[in-house]
Each structure stands twice: as structure tokens, then as C-alpha cells.
Amino acid sequence: MVSDCVQHALVAQGRIDAAVDAVMNPWDIAAVVPCVEEAGGVVTDLEGRRQAKALAYALSNEKLDAVYASDLQRAIQTAGEIARLQGVSTRLEAGFRERCFGAFEGQLYSDLPHLHPEAYASWKSGDPDFVFPPGERQGESVRQFHERVISNLRFYAKRHAGQKIAVVAHGGVLECAYREAKQLPLSAPREVTIYNASINRFKLHGDVLQLMQWGDIAHLDADAMDELAPDR
């Protein structure tokens, strides 16, 4: 049995499909939100699937040559909506997963300082080269995670040179792309808001990732959502 914070973080990472709480007080929600965001998730409500449909519809007037997604469930579901309207299949890529927290995954947050005191201190220091100790999977440092994400983005952008593709991933992956395009140090605090089901456009020029548009959520306003047909 795990805490509310841990189980909701596991949902954010796509490790489990859902976490159900019979009663949640405002202070419970306040505790869960930072844990979900730290795990790379975006806090939303039951509108999530409808937002995915709205995102797919907003992109339906553009020809996408391929749709790639992290192989975790939340990304697969959203990518599936986009791929369906584009008439293509979703291509899964584990390289677009969230950062792996190694032995920290599945543990109670309150237990971490006692179970892994040195690793916990290094993590809280913000050192981008700190690697989480291995658990079920090998943990990653911020730098390793960043390099994994950017190398995959470059690889698929070059594979589809001259074409337009969609990549559906997670908050941490988007942050990596933003930092790379803006040339921000990995140790710097996050300076940008990451919106659920947003459109963020990048272009690869040589090996340089360029940011063209960030955080477009016009398709999620009330009027746009109301125009969606039930079967879309």
C-alpha cells in the first residue's frame, strides 16, 4: 500500500492507469499536486480525454507524416486520438518517457531521507549530475534525462527531414526541449508553464533545436470544446 502522493505520481508517469480516492480534502490535493508535477505530470480533471480529442481536432487540418509517443499510457491515449484523425498509426518510443527515479520510485516521500539519506540530499541540492540509485530500473540524472530526450528528438526530426511530425510525451520531456531551444542551464529553476494538451512547435536547423511556438491552448477554450462532435 502506498500513499496518495506516490500513487498519483505513478499515474503521472504512466506506470498505472488510475488512482481512486474516496475522500480528498483540499489539503490532500495541495500535497498531491507537487508530487504529480515532480513526476512530470500535469494536474487536470476528467476533461483530460476530451482535451485530447480537442488537440487532435486542432491538428487535423495539418498533414502530419508521423505521430510518435512515449510508450506510457497517458501519452499513448492522446497520440491515438491524433493518429486516428491523421490516418496514421502511433509509433511508440521509450526514449520519450519521463525521467526514471530509480530506487525512489514506489517509495513514500517521507521515507526517502531515511532509506537513502545521501541520495536524498544530493537530489534536493539540485545537482543536474546526481543519478538516482538503481531500483527496478536504472535511475537517471537530469543531464542523462535531458540528453536522452534531445538525442531522440534530433534523431526523429532528421529521419523526417522536410516533413512534419507530432511527438506526444510528458511535462519533463517538454521542459527538456524548451531548455535546449532556449539554451538554459540544467540547474536553473523551471521558468515556463507547461499546459496539458498544448501545442508546442519546434524546428531542427542542423543540430540546433529552435522553438517556434509555446503553449498554444486556444483549442481548449470553452467555445472550441463545445464545437466538438461527440464522436470526434
Side-chain angles (χ1 to χ4, degrees):
M1 188 173 184
V2 297
S3 72
D4 290 341
C5 292
V6 171
Q7 67 181 2
H8 284 84
L10 291 174
V11 172
Q13 290 187 315
R15 304 299 176 80
I16 59 177
D17 292 331
V20 179
D21 291 286
V23 177
M24 285 197 77
N25 295 303
W27 50 87
D28 296 320
I29 297 172
V32 165
V33 168
C35 294
V36 170
E37 293 178 341
E38 181 70 19
V42 178
V43 177
T44 184
D45 53 22
L46 294 177
E47 284 287 274
R49 290 199 175 187
R50 196 163 177 232
Q51 289 178 344
K53 290 178 181 292
L55 170 61
Y57 185 56
L59 294 172
S60 64
N61 63 344
E62 304 180 36
K63 182 184 183 298
L64 298 179
D65 296 281
V67 176
Y68 289 91
S70 155
D71 61 349
L72 300 181
Q73 194 60 38
R74 179 67 182 273
I76 293 173
Q77 290 174 347
T78 301
E81 295 290 346
I82 298 171
R84 181 175 63 84
L85 293 187
Q86 292 288 332
V88 300
S89 60
T90 302
R91 309 184 193 187
L92 303 185
E93 173 52 68
F96 292 132
R97 283 186 177 189
E98 265 296 356
R99 182 184 178 190
C100 179
F101 290 84
F104 280 31
E105 294 182 350
Q107 302 292 335
L108 293 173
Y109 184 85
S110 59
D111 288 343
L112 293 177
H114 310 292
L115 294 173
H116 308 281
E118 293 184 7
Y120 178 82
S122 297
W123 173 44
K124 299 303 287 183
S125 73
D127 178 5
D129 292 306
F130 160 69
V131 179
F132 284 102
E136 183 178 335
R137 297 188 301 138
Q138 176 61 50
E140 294 177 294
S141 68
V142 169
R143 193 176 308 279
Q144 288 170 336
F145 171 49
H146 182 88
E147 290 173 354
R148 165 166 64 83
V149 169
I150 300 306
S151 65
N152 275 283
L153 286 175
R154 287 197 180 111
F155 174 80
Y156 288 109
K158 290 179 178 180
R159 170 181 280 187
H160 294 278
Q163 298 180 325
K164 183 182 291 186
I165 66 173
V167 175
V168 182
H170 312 279
V173 174
L174 270 174
E175 184 178 359
C176 287
Y178 183 90
R179 285 181 184 273
E180 179 70 16
K182 291 291 189 178
Q183 292 296 291
L184 298 175
L186 298 180
S187 57
R190 178 187 290 182
E191 68 168 29
V192 68
T193 301
I194 297 174
Y195 298 100
N196 191 49
S198 61
I199 298 173
N200 307 279
R201 300 180 188 271
F202 295 86
K203 180 179 181 180
L204 190 69
H205 183 72
D207 275 337
V208 179
L209 194 65
Q210 300 175 331
L211 176 62
M212 312 303 292
Q213 181 185 42
W214 182 262
D216 178 8
I217 52 173
H219 52 284
L220 300 181
D221 68 31
D223 290 340
M225 295 281 277
D226 287 343
E227 289 177 4
L228 280 179
D231 59 345
R232 270 195 172 137

